[in-house]
Amino acid sequence: MPLRPKKTLLIGVAALAALVTGMLPAVNATAAPSPTISKDLFGTLSDGTKVWRYTLSSSAISVKIITYGGIVQRLDAPDRHGHRANVVLGFPKLDDYVAKNNPGPYFGALIGRYGNRIAKGTFTLDGTTYHLPLNNNGNSLHGGPKGFDTKAWTATPVKTKDAVGVRLDYTSPDGDMNYPGTLKASVTYTLSGGSLRLDYRATTDKATIVNLTNHSYFNLAGEGSGGIYDHRLRLNADRYTPVDSTLIPTGQLAPVAGTPMDFTKATPIGARIRDGFQQLAYGQGYDHNWVLNGSGFRLAAEVGEPTSGRVLKIYTDQPGIQFYSGNFLDGTLYGTSGRQYRQGDGFALETQHFPDSPNHPDFPSTVLRPGQTYRTSTVWSLSAH
Ligand code: BGC
């Protein structure tokens, strides 16, 4: 069914323009009520650390973020009739995140120090070779078994006239998961209208590598409502990075044209997923990095769900985006509303540098040196048509 045009959440567009330009929108007579922020106790870790859940709400959408892993626990957005649903996969309780999210799906979590894979967990920087813990088929995935997704972050609420946010800070000590340098990381989630902005920052006291992202899984028909294969995806990418059987890039930047990797025009996710394409066999579906066209802050991906009319647009300044079609959800996990998650019940779109960049000098660099600041921003913009 084609997406019905119009009825965009205008407030979302105005706010997005403001977020994109970094300017506050002009106050006008029809302005929506100011967004709000509140917090509640989500649980307590075994070492006694309290985990807080911040709720950021605008008249358009509402998001819940917990200080454990900086996890987006819920994201409620209206369909074309104004009915709200939670459009991200997750768990109802802290214990579930602690016990099942790593190793596991990394639902909603901040990923660091290095999102995605590093071949054999090994890289060389300035003549020193580092060995990271191997947690995925002989490779390192998502910063290791005790990555940023498992840390308690310190939260500071942020409020302006038109936006609310929460800044999360975490200092990763030198040698944490065998990465060099003390890395001071902060991620600020800011809600305005129908858009959630993610601003990542990091500094180091020794040369290191860094590639932060967020690992939310979306289902625009609502979490726990079934599969996402009928969602229509468009990616602003003419090329992708093909992988070997362990999902490590071969180093090639291959054209998507003429393959099931071509999402340059909006296409249902499931339309070609069983075509027998070798790359899709390796990933048991889509689990690849696309090379985003252009540079600077730009549209990376757009996903529409035909029944609800919900649309998610993702903007970023990053060179790549990992599109993962939830292939390894195997029915063993039950989500926020108690329903079972099966293969293809959610998809992730992780804005990032390319996987295994430290071992591919031709890929954009992920090296961070003392005196430099790692900065990257991503916006998720939700609307209904
Ligand atoms: C990876 C998948 C992995 C998933 C959850 C994704 O980012 O690319 O291979 O299964 O994260 O762990």
Side-chain angles (χ1 to χ4, degrees):
M1 198 203 293
L3 292 179
R4 264 198 255 153
K6 285 283 123 42
K7 242 170 95 200
T8 308
L9 294 171
L10 289 174
I11 180 66
V13 171
L16 176 66
L19 284 163
V20 169
T21 58
M23 308 214 348
L24 293 175
V27 182
N28 63 56
T30 57
S34 296
T36 59
I37 179 166
S38 61
K39 74 169 183 179
D40 63 334
L41 188 64
F42 191 61
T44 305
L45 295 170
S46 55
D47 67 359
T49 307
K50 286 186 162 50
V51 172
W52 298 98
R53 178 170 62 173
Y54 284 81
T55 303
L56 313 179
S57 299
S58 69
S59 53
I61 62 173
S62 148
V63 62
K64 289 183 187 288
I65 292 151
I66 62 172
T67 52
Y68 177 79
I71 289 169
V72 174
Q73 192 244 340
R74 284 189 76 101
L75 177 55
D76 287 87
D79 66 8
R80 67 163 71 90
H81 304 296
H83 301 306
R84 285 194 176 210
N86 174 19
V87 296
V88 293
L89 275 53
F91 293 120
K93 293 203 190 78
L94 178 61
D95 292 352
D96 296 321
Y97 285 105
V98 173
K100 303 172 193 166
N101 217 26
N102 177 349
Y106 302 85
F107 287 147
L110 294 179
I111 304 293
R113 295 186 187 191
Y114 197 97
N116 218 306
R117 293 176 174 79
I118 295 182
K120 302 184 173 58
T122 301
F123 67 97
T124 301
L125 179 58
D126 296 343
T128 305
T129 300
Y130 297 92
H131 298 284
L132 309 171
L134 307 181
N135 60 345
N136 188 262
N137 298 321
N139 299 315
S140 171
L141 176 68
H142 294 334
K146 292 272 170 234
F148 286 8
D149 58 290
T150 66
K151 304 298 180 187
W153 294 62
T154 307
T156 312
V158 182
K159 202 169 183 333
T160 66
K161 187 151 39 67
D162 303 290
V164 286
V166 59
R167 174 188 162 133
L168 300 172
D169 283 279
Y170 175 68
T171 298
S172 170
D174 186 13
D176 190 11
M177 290 283 103
N178 299 350
Y179 289 91
T182 310
L183 193 81
K184 289 190 178 174
S186 87
V187 181
T188 305
Y189 289 100
T190 310
L191 180 76
S192 177
S195 296
L196 183 70
R197 180 176 178 121
L198 297 85
D199 290 300
Y200 303 83
R201 301 282 181 271
T203 56
T204 184
D205 60 3
K206 244 189 225 173
T208 191
I209 56 166
V210 62
N211 188 30
L212 307 181
T213 193
N214 175 286
H215 207 283
S216 288
Y217 292 59
F218 298 91
N219 183 328
L220 298 178
E223 164 277 326
S225 69
I228 47 82
Y229 288 169
D230 58 348
H231 286 48
R232 290 158 187 273
L233 170 68
R234 187 162 75 83
L235 292 172
N236 176 23
D238 296 333
R239 294 173 298 168
Y240 74 108
T241 50
V243 290
D244 67 15
S245 62
T246 70
L247 304 181
I248 295 292
T250 59
Q252 238 188 314
L253 306 184
V256 296
T259 77
M261 313 305 271
D262 187 353
F263 285 97
T264 52
K265 293 193 185 66
T267 308
I269 289 172
R272 300 158 302 182
I273 205 164
R274 293 184 173 81
D275 277 9
F277 190 60
Q278 179 64 65
Q279 287 290 314
L280 296 179
Y282 286 155
Q284 298 187 28
Y286 294 99
D287 195 354
H288 297 78
N289 170 69
W290 270 256
V291 179
L292 291 171
N293 295 336
S295 59
F297 196 75
R298 63 223 187 276
L299 182 68
E302 179 171 355
V303 193
E305 196 282 308
T307 307
S308 66
R310 290 191 189 89
V311 172
L312 168 69
K313 291 185 185 172
I314 298 185
Y315 299 79
T316 191
D317 51 20
Q318 288 283 287
I321 194 165
Q322 182 84 4
F323 165 49
Y324 169 56
S325 53
N327 316 322
F328 303 115
L329 297 173
D330 60 3
T332 52
L333 299 176
Y334 290 76
T336 318
S337 59
R339 292 176 62 89
Q340 191 183 26
Y341 291 150
R342 299 170 59 112
Q343 186 180 44
D345 280 0
F347 65 90
L349 284 166
E350 304 149 56
T351 54
Q352 61 175 15
H353 271 252
F354 305 168
D356 199 29
S357 292
N359 293 309
H360 292 276
D362 295 349
F363 287 179
S365 172
T366 52
V367 174
L368 181 72
R369 297 186 180 279
Q372 298 178 328
T373 302
Y374 169 90
R375 286 169 200 276
T376 174
S377 301
T378 290
V379 169
W380 302 342
S381 170
L382 283 147
S383 57
H385 299 258

